């Protein structure tokens, strides 16, 4: 599994440091530039500071501000408007998936059903679809 010809910058937002580190390592191995955030506030601070990731992988269940509220704030503030937003969550009900997509998420991955390699493959597929490759 290769990253696209041009290195992609991915921001991974998850409050679970074990999972965050695991996904960061997997995407780094695939030649992505990786930025992590452990909360919505951390992610917003980085985005407001000028970070422009190509892809954002967002958890939903986080303390204080959840992933849905995070994407609402990102959209309202026009932060990273060109980034591909993908939810990676253990919430997998149809209404959760629909809510994510209604907020502009390109895709929704259920963590419990996917290995890190499958998540990487899914993200690469969404990138290819976005770029018409």
């Amino acid at each position: 599994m290769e990253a696209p010809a041009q290195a992609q910058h991915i921001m991974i937002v998850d409050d679970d440091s074990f999972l965050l580190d695991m996904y960061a390592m997997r995407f780094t191995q695939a030649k992505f530039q990786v930025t992590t955030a452990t909360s919505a506030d951390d992610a917003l601070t980085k985005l407001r500071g000028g970070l422009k990731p190509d892809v954002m992988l967002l958890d939903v269940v986080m303390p204080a501000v959840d992933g849905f509220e995070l994407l609402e704030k990102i959209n309202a503030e026009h932060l990273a408007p060109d980034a591909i937003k993908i939810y990676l969550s253990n919430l997998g009900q149809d209404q959760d998936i629909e809510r994510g997509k209604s907020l502009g998420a390109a895709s929704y991955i259920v963590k419990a059903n996917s290995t890190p390699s499958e998540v990487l493959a899914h993200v690469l597929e969404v990138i290819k679809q976005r770029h018409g490759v």
Side-chain angles (χ1 to χ4, degrees):
M1 257 171 285
E2 295 296 317
Q6 181 181 350
Q8 297 284 304
H9 184 176
I10 188 167
M11 177 183 222
I12 307 170
V13 184
D14 198 317
D15 63 311
D16 183 322
S17 59
F18 174 78
L19 289 176
L20 192 62
D21 290 346
M22 181 177 62
Y23 286 112
M25 183 172 60
R26 188 67 193 99
F27 279 91
T28 298
Q29 290 170 341
K31 308 293 187 237
F32 278 76
Q33 179 183 346
V34 178
T35 298
T36 59
T38 57
S39 68
D41 284 341
D42 187 18
L44 288 168
T45 298
K46 290 174 179 177
L47 292 167
R48 288 173 182 146
L51 183 69
K52 299 262 190 257
D54 299 301
V55 180
M56 298 180 71
L57 208 51
L58 308 169
D59 186 18
V60 173
V61 181
M62 296 186 289
V65 177
D66 71 23
F68 294 130
E69 294 171 274
L70 172 58
L71 190 49
E72 287 170 351
K73 289 181 181 197
I74 289 169
N75 291 340
E77 295 183 37
H78 307 290
L79 300 170
D82 299 325
I84 299 169
K85 286 98 174 172
I86 300 172
Y87 278 108
L88 176 63
S89 178
N90 279 322
L91 292 183
Q93 300 298 319
D94 288 343
Q95 67 264 25
D96 298 318
I97 295 168
E98 285 308 311
R99 183 172 179 199
K101 291 191 175 180
S102 75
L103 291 170
S107 191
Y108 197 108
I109 304 168
V110 178
K111 283 183 196 177
N113 299 342
S114 305
T115 67
S117 292
E118 289 169 336
V119 170
L120 172 63
H122 187 98
V123 169
L124 289 171
E125 186 58 35
V126 172
I127 291 169
K128 281 183 192 175
Q129 288 172 0
R130 171 67 65 91
H131 296 295
V133 177

